[in-house]
Amino acid sequence: MLLNQFLLLSAVLFCIGVYGVLARKNGVLVLMSIELILNAVNINLVAFGALTDNVAGAVFALFTIAVAAAEVGIGLAIVLLIYRNRRSIDLSEIDLMKG
C-alpha cells in the first residue's frame, strides 16, 4: 500500500475525532473521540516509520498507546465522579461543580 492511503485514513480518523470532541456533550463519547485522534497519530507514526525503514515510529506508537491507556483510565474515573455527583455525564454541566 502507498503512504498516501495511510495518510488519508489517518486524516479521516483525525477529523472524525475532532468533530466528536467539539460536537458531543457526553463524556464517554468525548473520550472515544480522543481515542480516535490518538489512533490517527499512531497510524501516521507507523506509516512514516515503515517508509523510512526505521523502528522509531513503532516505538513512539507504543508510547502513545500507553499514554492513551492512562488517559482512558483517568478519564473514565472523572466521568464516574461526574455521574456520581450529578447523575448525568453531560459535559455542559461540569462548570456547575465549582467550589
Side-chain angles (χ1 to χ4, degrees):
M1 295 183 78
L2 299 174
L3 179 66
N4 60 358
Q5 293 171 336
F6 289 110
L7 295 180
L8 183 65
L9 173 67
S10 178
V12 168
L13 283 177
F14 189 82
C15 290
I16 292 171
V18 168
Y19 173 75
V21 168
L22 295 177
R24 303 289 179 193
K25 294 188 181 197
N26 189 340
V28 175
L29 291 178
V30 170
L31 288 175
M32 288 174 54
S33 298
I34 292 172
E35 288 299 317
L36 275 177
I37 292 171
L38 290 173
N39 285 330
V41 170
N42 285 338
I43 290 172
N44 273 338
L45 288 171
V46 171
F48 281 116
L51 177 70
T52 60
D53 291 329
N54 196 351
V55 296
V59 171
F60 282 126
L62 286 175
F63 283 126
T64 307
I65 291 170
V67 168
E71 174 259 330
V72 166
I74 293 172
L76 284 176
I78 292 171
V79 167
L80 284 173
L81 274 171
I82 291 170
Y83 180 76
R84 194 179 296 166
N85 289 333
R86 287 288 188 196
R87 297 287 180 221
S88 171
I89 52 175
D90 189 16
L91 294 180
S92 63
E93 297 178 0
I94 289 179
D95 60 345
L96 300 175
M97 296 179 65
K98 293 179 184 173

